[in-house]
Amino acid sequence: MKKPGPDHNTFEMASNVFSGILYRTLLFTSILWPSSIAGPELAINDIAADRKVSTMPGRSLPLHCSVRNHTEEEELVWLREDGTVDLKDGNRMTASSLCVFPVSVEDNGVSFTCRLARDSSVQVSVTLDVLFPPILTGEDPPLAEEEGDVTLDCYAKANPPAQMSWMKDNVTLMLENSRYEIFHTSELYQLKILGVKKSDSGIYDCLAESSNGTEWRSFHLVVGGKKNVNSSSGQLDKLDSLFLLYGTSNRS
């Protein structure tokens, strides 16, 4: 009589027991020796992930980079955008710090990266989110000629971005008017007035409103009469210039 062998259930039970033992072994190993599985990891101010850091102009922003899961000393490198930051010898191994002071408007959007010197793929970054009220600049336009076109350029910076508008003599402009054209980029809010009239003369305010404050920049527009080079006075002015060059005038 043939001796019966182990059935399917016996093999399945043995497989489950082996899988359980293997799982517990790996879990135990990862607890005792995490670096052997995860490898070194970097953290800035105890956070091991790329992120934005909000701050304001004039403040101090300390950044501390540390190595986790390491089995030996690791040399660290700091970058500001693509440029290397100079570090003192005692501020390189396993932990390194730097301080951004004073924070400025120009630092908005700038990234600081800490990485391993031996492996540039191991790194972590923070990007500065510098919050500041609107800053407006611009120049008054030259004397405008009637029926010509005039452009007012208002340059604006703000974080968060500001809501922009134009006013004339303290009254909000109705930009639906076909004589007004608006051109808007991240840093330019431009008003173009087509076919200006003398009644367009006045003070134009570029207004920027954000959660951090409100600012405006005033532009003075003066519209003069249309030049007519064919007028009799224009011809006489030209004749006077010729007489000054070549002789005297007999006109009394």
Side-chain angles (χ1 to χ4, degrees):
M1 185 175 181
K2 193 173 182 180
K3 186 177 180 180
D7 58 15
H8 175 74
N9 291 335
T10 302
F11 280 116
E12 185 176 3
M13 184 180 299
S15 176
N16 290 338
V17 171
F18 177 76
S19 297
I21 294 173
L22 179 61
Y23 172 77
R24 286 192 292 272
T25 301
L26 291 174
L27 180 62
F28 180 74
T29 303
S30 66
I31 293 173
L32 291 182
W33 299 284
S35 61
S36 64
I37 296 177
E41 179 184 61
L42 301 182
I44 295 179
N45 295 352
D46 294 325
I47 299 178
D50 295 343
R51 69 191 195 282
K52 283 188 175 183
V53 176
S54 295
T55 184
M56 299 183 73
R59 290 187 176 179
S60 172
L61 180 63
L63 300 174
H64 179 74
C65 180
S66 57
V67 185
R68 298 175 177 176
N69 304 335
H70 63 96
T71 57
E72 58 185 3
E73 290 285 288
E74 294 281 3
E75 183 179 356
L76 298 174
V77 176
W78 277 101
L79 301 176
R80 185 185 192 276
E81 295 292 284
D82 296 326
T84 303
V85 178
D86 291 332
L87 299 173
K88 294 182 179 180
D89 291 339
N91 190 27
R92 299 174 183 272
M93 305 306 296
T94 307
S96 179
S97 298
L98 59 82
C99 184
V100 183
F101 178 79
V103 173
S104 69
V105 170
E106 287 70 26
D107 291 321
N108 185 45
V110 171
S111 294
F112 287 86
T113 301
C114 178
R115 66 170 51 160
L116 289 185
R118 66 174 179 84
D119 186 354
S120 61
S121 67
V122 181
Q123 64 178 35
V124 63
S125 299
V126 294
T127 301
L128 272 57
D129 182 30
V130 183
L131 306 175
F132 58 94
I135 300 173
L136 304 181
T137 57
E139 300 294 334
D140 286 342
L143 177 66
E145 182 181 343
E146 199 172 14
E147 297 184 11
D149 297 340
V150 173
T151 298
L152 304 179
D153 291 332
C154 179
Y155 295 93
K157 287 184 178 181
N159 188 32
Q163 294 291 324
M164 306 295 297
S165 60
W166 280 99
M167 303 180 71
K168 178 182 182 291
D169 299 331
N170 296 321
V171 177
T172 301
L173 283 181
M174 302 302 293
L175 298 178
E176 294 80 5
N177 189 321
S178 60
R179 294 178 55 237
Y180 298 140
E181 291 182 356
I182 292 292
F183 178 71
H184 196 189
T185 68
S186 60
E187 292 192 358
L188 174 64
Y189 192 59
Q190 182 187 84
L191 172 66
K192 187 173 184 179
I193 308 174
L194 306 176
V196 293
K197 308 171 184 178
K198 288 186 177 181
S199 59
D200 290 320
S201 297
I203 298 176
Y204 290 77
D205 290 319
C206 174
L207 185 66
E209 300 174 279
S210 80
S211 57
N212 285 328
T214 299
E215 188 60 63
W216 64 90
R217 171 72 172 85
S218 296
F219 297 81
H220 296 79
L221 175 61
V222 178
V223 180
K226 185 178 180 181
K227 294 179 181 178
N228 187 355
V229 296
N230 295 321
S231 66
S232 58
S233 61
Q235 293 292 341
L236 289 175
D237 288 341
K238 290 182 179 180
L239 288 172
D240 286 341
S241 298
L242 290 173
F243 280 120
L244 286 172
L245 287 172
Y246 300 107
T248 58
S249 172
N250 292 324
R251 288 186 293 118
S252 56

